[in-house]
Amino acid sequence: MANAGGIPGPEQKPEALNPNLDEIEEEEEEDDDVVEEEDDDDLEEDDDAAQPQRKSRVDRPKIENLFRRIRNGPVPLRVHDVIVKGNTKTKDCLIEAELDAIRNATTMQEIIQAANIINYKLRELECFDSVEITLDSGPPELPGTSNVIIQVVETKTPLSGQIGTYTKGEAKSSTVEGSLKYKNGFGYGDLWDASLAYGFDRSAEVSAGVYLPRFKGLVTPMTARVFLQSQDWLKFSSYKEQSLGLSLGLFSIRHHDLVYNLAWRTLTDPSHMSSNTVRRQLGHDFLSSLKYTFKFDKRNSPLRPTRGYAFVSTTQIGGLAPDSRCLRFLRQEFDLRFAVPFGFYRTALNFGISSGVVLPIGRDFLRMSTSLPERFFLGGNLSPICSLGGPSALWGFKTRGLGPAEPRRQVRGDSSDENADASERDFLGGDLAVSAFADLSFDLPLRWFREKGIHGHLFACAGNVAKLTENEYRNFSLPKFLQSTRSSVGAGIVFPTNLFRLEVNYCRILKKSSHDHGKNGIQISLSAPL
Amino acid sequence: MEQVNEREDFTLVTRKPYFGLPTACPICLPVYIYLKFARLPFHLAFNSTYPDSDIIPYVESGTYVACNNENGGVIECLKKDGIVDLDNGYQSVPEWISMKALISSWLEEALIYELWVGSDGNSVRKIYYPDLAWPIGKVLFLQQVRTVKQQLGITKENSDRREEEIYNRASIAYRALSTRLGEESFLFENRPSSVDAILLAHVLVTLHALPETSLLKSKLLEHGNLVRYAEKLKTEFVEAGSSSSIPPFPSDPSSSTPRKGPSHWSSKPKPKPKREKTEEEKTFRRRAKYFLATQLVAIVLFLSVMNIYDISEPELDNEGDIDFD
């Protein structure tokens, strides 16, 4: 058996084939023209030791000749049969679904490359402890053919747990999550999990889901998730939001993602202090929506991009249900950003613009009101660098700290002074939001900081939120919108970690409205890349 | 005394109208009638998405709010806050207090029983869940039935006994009220009070919202003076000038604009032929949505089929941008 040790191990991404002649064993060319792929380099070394040296003098010229042929051009070889061994639980169809490329290969180079890909894909299923692909000679009566033997070792510990930061299709921000996973329960590469998550937007979630890499022949994986989520906005908007629902990941490939959400959402106000608008919105909603995301991120890093660009477009349509009494709306977000390197001290300029609009669907839709949770809110301890996917973050302003606001309920004994503190107002969000930012990041002079990735940045940002529905569009004008745009500048230090980006900034508000919740001073922001 | 900006209009938020009543909810209607008795100008707005809320009905004016679940209810809040008080002088009258207690306990229990347990539930579905999607309405209805049974102490073992007890008490209450009322216009001193408001609301809901087969309704109909009292006051206070309290459609933004669709409020239910036409429209819209959804799914499938060959293997470029998700 020949061992193409130059081929990268399965724990690495498949790369262009670049065989290394020094590591390749000798083999008889006629009967055993074989290339073997191992996932354990130690086994390769053991094979080296076991090879009888008496063969080396006889086979060496043949091996050299073989690899000269490989280097010089394609070596015709096709696959006669693919044999799968070791899968007692995993269904054959799951493995065979990945074999089209190798079955159609016509040269040895293509076969080796396809074998790399299959190895990677099978290991990606997380069902196997090891995957070994061997190319053996084909039947003697069919010259120029080979048999592919795929030997898998199924995982003995299907149950695992982990903690990390994630984003999911239905989540509006990233979350810190602890989960238990059960792998390959039914042999279809299915991955079951139960998780508890806490989001950076003050949300808590209990959910359970399943991931199916191959569902009824679909080429993209499918996910299904049942969740119970609650978000506490009492401090900012005097309501709590609870959702019980089902999320289906229908379609997820490189740049495209399609998710269907079905949820029963309830808004409550345990404090009984909400403003009139929030009080009118309390109650139950039935949400049936389709969300399509197109994401094109060519930045070199989501935590500290210094080069590249990114574009995200998210479209969400609500009301896709036979019952006309569900929430009907159309929500569109855009996000475009660039990172330009300057070439010294890893200095780079990041700048971008985000916008979003949400409108109800129906006759006289501009008379209707949009649901509070669907509206846009700006502000919070998030960094615009990481918040890719619509307007949300604005340095210097507190969570939901700007935009239309309404006085809360006054009870007996409270002051009814019109100049009430901003904390006694409910921020209602808006139907239209636009934000923009510019961020100049640079390495700090000390080497220790550079080694840890800690760097400094100067930033400026601006944003605004406006209401269009309930006939407010009549009062909307672009000059007025631009004139009332809030803005801030600042500087800070960034501490990137494996899970999130921590920023300690000094922010100075340049322009804000009288009721906005933002102030000059030190602000800490914590965000995970979306 | 609560400081209320008297220049701000009052808005009463209730559940939606039905059965020819400005609001068919037996908890909201007394407040509506009370404000009508007091001839206090107010706007009427509706919340149709929170049937299990205990704050509805509520009266708001600027930042002032009087909720149902505070300080004994909206009527008591309005009295305490000095906005409107029709019970001046009655607080120390024992008969007034006992009549109020009778209506608020025995008759209220009887009506709740009849609406949620004693009938098929069609009435409450129309009152509380008309604008909620079917799954939500169904679950909330079942939850509320269970809550009502717990509240009334009804179990499988004692259901018959409790039913008989509830109806007997209702009969006694109707007899007492009918005797007290006689042929007068109001229960006490020929002027309206909160007791008249709650009694009138009870009688109107019983007469209009309960089905013809309702036992409670038949017991009420035995007292003709109560029925005449209710119809007379309904004509005089509830229906007269009702259009002025309904927010004009569609230009008034201060009204409770529903999230799910344009408002089609009226103080009277739509005549039957027009309702049928609305049903046809709903069917047509439902079918149109099916068609659009099918088209959307077809487009998505088409795009996915088109892109199958593009995504059959991961890209093997050296920039390491293979998607690990």
Side-chain angles (χ1 to χ4, degrees):
Chain A
M1 297 276 193
N3 183 353
I7 299 170
E11 67 276 7
Q12 303 172 2
K13 292 175 287 184
E15 296 173 350
L17 178 62
N18 186 19
N20 186 341
L21 280 176
D22 292 335
E23 299 180 22
I24 292 178
E25 294 285 318
E26 294 181 353
E27 182 56 76
E28 291 185 5
E29 181 179 6
E30 292 176 2
D31 295 333
D32 296 309
D33 190 7
V34 172
V35 175
E36 181 176 359
E37 192 174 300
E38 292 281 357
D39 59 348
D40 186 348
D41 290 338
D42 290 337
L43 188 59
E44 171 189 344
E45 292 172 5
D46 291 338
D47 285 341
D48 288 347
Q51 282 296 324
Q53 293 195 0
R54 65 176 182 276
K55 284 195 177 178
S56 59
R57 275 181 297 164
V58 175
D59 298 328
R60 194 178 185 84
K62 293 182 180 176
I63 295 296
E64 287 177 356
N65 183 46
L66 171 65
F67 282 97
R68 194 180 311 115
R69 287 173 61 196
I70 291 175
R71 276 185 172 169
N72 291 337
V75 177
L77 186 68
R78 62 183 179 84
V79 172
H80 173 257
D81 193 15
V82 180
I83 303 158
V84 179
K85 295 180 182 175
N87 56 322
T88 52
K89 191 178 180 185
T90 310
K91 306 293 183 213
D92 286 343
C93 58
L94 184 68
I95 300 173
E96 287 172 5
E98 310 294 345
L99 304 182
D100 285 344
I102 206 169
R103 287 187 198 279
N104 297 330
T106 55
T107 67
M108 180 178 284
Q109 289 88 337
E110 287 178 7
I111 291 174
I112 294 172
Q113 189 174 30
N116 265 335
I117 296 168
I118 291 169
N119 193 305
Y120 171 73
K121 282 192 169 181
L122 290 180
R123 289 182 68 82
E124 204 181 29
L125 293 175
E126 296 187 38
C127 303
F128 310 114
D129 284 341
S130 72
V131 178
E132 187 178 302
I133 301 180
T134 304
L135 303 186
D136 202 353
S137 59
E141 62 271 18
L142 295 175
T145 63
S146 72
N147 286 338
V148 177
I149 302 168
I150 299 177
Q151 179 77 40
V152 298
V153 176
E154 290 174 335
T155 182
K156 294 179 183 58
T157 53
L159 194 64
S160 66
Q162 62 187 86
I163 295 179
T165 58
Y166 303 95
T167 58
K168 288 198 259 310
E170 72 280 7
K172 292 180 185 174
S173 79
S174 43
T175 57
V176 175
E177 179 180 308
S179 62
L180 277 176
K181 294 189 179 182
Y182 185 76
K183 304 171 191 175
N184 208 18
F186 293 99
Y188 290 97
D190 46 300
L191 181 64
W192 301 82
D193 77 281
S195 63
L196 285 172
Y198 182 77
F200 290 118
D201 58 352
R202 298 167 180 267
S203 62
E205 182 181 298
V206 176
S207 63
V210 60
Y211 170 85
L212 290 167
R214 287 264 170 187
F215 181 69
K216 297 216 183 267
L218 285 179
V219 294
T220 65
M222 269 202 71
T223 59
R225 188 153 213 92
V226 174
F227 59 90
L228 175 62
Q229 187 184 53
S230 72
Q231 289 187 297
D232 185 348
W233 300 114
L234 273 176
K235 189 177 169 188
F236 312 104
S237 302
S238 296
Y239 74 90
K240 277 184 160 182
E241 177 188 337
Q242 279 151 337
S243 294
L244 171 66
L246 170 70
S247 174
L248 296 175
L250 300 175
F251 188 78
S252 181
I253 55 172
R254 195 176 179 78
H255 300 301
H256 308 274
D257 186 79
L258 187 67
V259 176
Y260 172 76
N261 280 322
L262 185 72
W264 173 355
R265 188 168 63 196
T266 305
L267 304 186
T268 58
D269 174 25
S271 68
H272 302 306
M273 293 300 294
S274 54
S275 58
N276 292 353
T277 299
V278 174
R279 199 180 310 115
R280 299 287 178 83
Q281 294 246 357
L282 299 179
H284 304 275
D285 269 324
F286 188 66
L287 186 70
S288 172
S289 70
L290 210 56
K291 185 174 176 182
Y292 167 71
T293 305
F294 173 76
K295 185 173 177 181
F296 194 82
D297 191 349
K298 285 291 189 184
R299 298 175 300 171
N300 59 342
S301 166
L303 283 176
R304 185 189 177 183
T306 56
R307 184 179 64 249
Y309 57 94
F311 173 73
V312 177
S313 165
T314 306
T315 307
Q316 188 174 9
I317 301 177
L320 303 176
D323 197 323
S324 62
R325 294 168 293 185
C326 58
L327 205 58
R328 295 179 293 175
F329 64 93
L330 175 65
R331 196 169 194 264
Q332 176 65 51
E333 298 173 7
F334 291 110
D335 203 322
L336 177 65
R337 52 190 66 197
F338 297 90
V340 179
F342 285 162
F344 55 92
Y345 286 112
R346 284 188 72 194
T347 304
L349 175 68
N350 274 274
F351 58 97
I353 184 166
S354 307
S355 65
V357 65
V358 59
L359 293 171
I361 296 176
R363 199 165 30 173
D364 293 328
F365 63 94
L366 286 174
R367 266 196 62 249
M368 298 153 61
S369 67
T370 44
S371 174
L372 266 177
E374 305 306 328
R375 296 182 189 178
F376 292 98
F377 296 87
L378 289 182
N381 298 331
L382 297 173
S383 170
I385 302 286
C386 290
S387 306
L388 182 66
S392 59
L394 209 66
W395 281 298
F397 291 87
K398 299 280 169 111
T399 303
R400 296 193 166 193
L402 66 101
E406 201 172 279
R408 287 180 182 168
R409 178 190 179 193
Q410 296 288 327
V411 293
R412 181 177 298 189
D414 286 357
S415 166
S416 61
D417 186 359
E418 288 182 0
N419 295 325
D421 183 45
S423 62
E424 294 182 6
R425 284 184 166 256
D426 285 338
F427 287 94
L428 307 176
D431 306 308
L432 171 71
V434 180
S435 69
F437 78 94
D439 177 277
L440 184 73
S441 63
F442 48 87
D443 278 343
L444 295 172
L446 290 178
R447 183 177 157 191
W448 185 84
F449 286 136
R450 286 200 298 275
E451 286 173 0
K452 300 295 178 190
I454 299 171
H455 57 278
H457 70 146
L458 304 171
F459 56 83
C461 60
N464 202 357
V465 173
K467 184 176 177 183
L468 299 176
T469 52
E470 293 185 282
N471 294 323
E472 285 294 323
Y473 71 96
R474 295 173 185 169
N475 302 327
F476 175 83
S477 68
L478 191 57
K480 200 167 144 188
F481 185 75
L482 292 174
Q483 193 185 4
S484 60
T485 297
R486 285 71 159 171
S487 59
S488 66
V489 294
I493 299 177
V494 180
F495 301 83
T497 70
N498 287 337
L499 296 180
F500 49 79
R501 172 181 164 119
L502 171 68
E503 295 181 6
V504 179
N505 301 321
Y506 175 80
C507 300
R508 183 168 180 82
I509 308 291
L510 297 180
K511 189 173 181 185
K512 69 169 189 170
S513 172
S514 56
H515 298 302
D516 287 349
H517 218 176
K519 61 179 183 178
N520 302 333
I522 300 289
Q523 184 192 41
I524 294 176
S525 95
L526 199 66
S527 39
L530 282 177
Chain B
M1 178 175 295
E2 188 70 27
Q3 291 193 8
V4 174
N5 186 349
E6 293 182 355
R7 290 175 294 179
E8 302 239 22
D9 292 340
F10 288 93
T11 300
L12 171 65
V13 178
T14 67
R15 298 202 169 92
K16 289 185 87 170
Y18 216 90
F19 303 114
L21 300 172
T23 170
C25 169
I27 303 173
C28 303
L29 190 57
V31 181
Y32 178 91
I33 293 171
Y34 185 81
L35 295 178
K36 282 294 182 182
F37 281 165
R39 302 195 188 277
L40 182 75
F42 64 95
H43 295 283
L44 187 60
F46 305 111
N47 182 309
S48 56
T49 59
Y50 206 0
D52 50 333
S53 165
D54 56 355
I55 69 168
I56 296 172
Y58 57 87
V59 171
E60 58 184 25
S61 173
T63 57
Y64 167 79
V65 184
C67 297
N68 176 62
N69 62 341
E70 294 175 346
N71 299 322
V74 178
I75 294 176
E76 294 302 316
C77 284
L78 295 175
K79 284 197 287 189
K80 281 179 192 170
D81 297 334
I83 296 171
V84 59
D85 184 0
L86 297 177
D87 299 338
N88 198 10
Y90 290 139
Q91 306 294 347
S92 56
V93 177
E95 201 172 2
W96 186 87
I97 296 171
S98 61
M99 286 286 136
K100 187 171 183 180
L102 192 68
I103 302 168
S104 303
S105 56
W106 287 3
L107 288 188
E108 188 177 303
E109 268 187 11
L111 184 56
I112 289 173
Y113 176 85
E114 197 72 350
L115 283 171
W116 293 97
V117 183
S119 62
D120 57 4
N122 278 338
S123 299
V124 290
R125 285 193 191 93
K126 289 170 183 166
I127 295 169
Y128 294 103
Y129 312 114
D131 287 345
L132 287 178
W134 178 85
I136 299 177
K138 186 74 178 171
V139 171
L140 290 178
F141 170 75
L142 293 173
Q143 279 180 352
Q144 185 62 23
V145 168
R146 194 177 64 177
T147 302
V148 165
K149 284 183 178 175
Q150 284 175 352
Q151 184 184 337
L152 298 177
I154 297 174
T155 61
K156 283 183 189 171
E157 292 79 26
N158 70 0
S159 59
D160 292 336
R161 181 182 61 79
R162 281 294 289 142
E163 181 183 277
E164 189 181 342
E165 191 177 62
I166 287 170
Y167 284 136
N168 281 342
R169 284 181 176 175
S171 292
I172 295 169
Y174 285 145
R175 201 174 312 123
L177 289 163
S178 177
T179 305
R180 170 69 205 177
L181 178 67
E183 295 301 329
E184 300 295 328
S185 298
F186 300 100
L187 283 170
F188 292 92
E189 294 182 6
N190 209 28
R191 65 181 173 97
S193 68
S194 61
V195 174
D196 291 287
I198 57 177
L199 175 61
L200 179 59
H202 172 89
V203 173
L204 288 177
V205 174
T206 303
L207 289 177
H208 294 276
L210 292 178
E212 294 301 323
T213 53
S214 163
L215 185 56
L216 186 68
K217 185 173 181 177
S218 63
K219 287 183 182 295
L220 175 62
L221 288 170
E222 293 172 6
H223 305 278
N225 65 333
L226 289 176
V227 176
R228 287 189 297 275
Y229 156 86
E231 295 297 334
K232 177 169 171 283
L233 290 181
K234 181 187 174 194
T235 307
E236 187 178 337
F237 289 95
V238 176
E239 291 178 353
S242 62
S243 59
S244 65
S245 67
I246 306 294
F249 178 86
S251 60
D252 185 356
S254 66
S255 64
S256 166
T257 310
R259 279 174 284 162
K260 293 179 233 343
S263 52
H264 296 289
W265 309 322
S266 83
S267 60
K268 297 176 185 175
K270 294 175 187 172
K272 198 172 179 183
K274 200 171 178 182
R275 193 180 305 138
E276 286 177 352
K277 189 178 176 185
T278 307
E279 289 296 324
E280 286 176 8
E281 279 182 3
K282 283 184 181 175
T283 308
F284 173 77
R285 287 185 184 204
R286 195 178 305 128
R287 286 179 185 162
K289 279 192 203 111
Y290 276 129
F291 175 79
L292 286 173
T294 310
Q295 296 302 308
L296 186 64
V297 168
I299 291 170
V300 167
L301 285 174
F302 175 76
L303 288 173
S304 63
V305 168
M306 284 288 289
N307 288 331
I308 280 177
Y309 296 103
D310 294 336
I311 59 169
S312 58
E313 41 180 87
E315 293 184 13
L316 302 180
D317 56 47
N318 290 327
E319 291 181 358
D321 56 353
I322 289 179
D323 188 5
F324 281 95
D325 292 335

